[in-house]
């Protein structure tokens, strides 16, 4: 019954917002309708839809855990924030909105749904964040499982001496001809060492590593602490 109820809500979402996901993505998301949140971790596009529909228990919702950690470490109130890789549905931006005070979050992702609109404290950029992107009015840069965007965040944040947090994932190794990493552990080790070096050289304190395994996330979360 629970699985059928989830499927009905997911299908209703697809019908209400056609074109956000293609046919293969919709089938993929529907395949997780019977997920056991105590045993499995939601992939990104599944997580976006499920959180939008209120289908993830709070105690297993990585958005809840990550946002709490982000706020505990940096305090989001009145900050100008950049998120890289917000997804088709900017769930973290929506969740942090009430916490921003006089601040603002700007979300970069070419995949952002056209159904999503700017709000007074949330700006949507349907483009890639690059090393030429203006960060002059930014207090904090973050990304939750942005894959190769992790290195972009680290490089931009440390170049401009802006605080940052990145929730890592399997990241770099995808098996293409430009992939230099044998496995995800090698990728993660490289990213962490790279971040430590950049933080140290740019006098941004120390690199810290946390885990949110209680939410089912096995990957490290890295950030600078001054």
């Amino acid at each position: 019954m629970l699985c059928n109820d989830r499927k009905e809500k997911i299908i209703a979402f697809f019908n209400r917002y056609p074109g956000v996901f293609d046919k293969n993505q919709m089938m993929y998301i529907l395949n997780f309708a019977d997920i056991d949140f105590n045993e499995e971790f939601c992939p990104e596009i599944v997580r976006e839809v499920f959180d939008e529909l209120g289908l993830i228990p709070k105690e297993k919702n990585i958005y809840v855990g990550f946002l709490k950690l982000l706020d505990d470490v940096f305090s989001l109130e009145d900050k100008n924030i950049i998120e890289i890789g917000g997804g088709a549905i900017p769930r973290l931006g929506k969740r942090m909105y009430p916490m921003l005070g006089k601040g603002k979050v700007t979300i970069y992702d070419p995949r952002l749904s056209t159904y999503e609109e700017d709000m007074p404290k949330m700006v949507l950029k349907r483009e890639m964040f690059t090393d030429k992107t203006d960060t002059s009015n930014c207090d904090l840069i973050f990304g939750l499982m942005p894959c190769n965007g992790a290195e972009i965040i680290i490089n931009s944040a440390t170049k401009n001496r802006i605080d940052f947090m990145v929730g890592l994932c399997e990241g770099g190794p995808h098996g293409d001809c430009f992939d230099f990493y044998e496995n995800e552990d090698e990728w993660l080790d490289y990213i962490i060492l790279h971040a430590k070096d950049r933080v140290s050289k740019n006098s941004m304190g120390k690199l810290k590593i946390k885990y949110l395994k209680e939410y089912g996330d096995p990957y490290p979360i890295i950030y600078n602490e001054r």
Side-chain angles (χ1 to χ4, degrees), residues 12-46:
F13 175 85
F14 293 153
N15 291 335
R16 190 162 62 251
Y17 302 108
V20 176
F21 302 104
D22 63 30
K23 184 177 179 180
N24 289 334
Q25 289 173 323
M26 288 190 290
M27 291 301 298
Y28 180 76
I29 293 166
L30 278 169
N31 284 338
F32 281 84
D34 62 349
I35 187 173
D36 181 347
F37 292 102
N38 291 311
E39 300 293 336
E40 300 175 75
F41 185 63
C42 280
E44 179 188 15
I45 61 172
V46 178

Side-chain angles (χ1 to χ4, degrees), residues 160-175:
N160 297 289
R161 302 193 73 248
I162 298 168
D163 291 331
F164 72 91
M165 181 179 288
V166 186
L168 298 176
C169 57
E170 71 277 12
H174 297 294

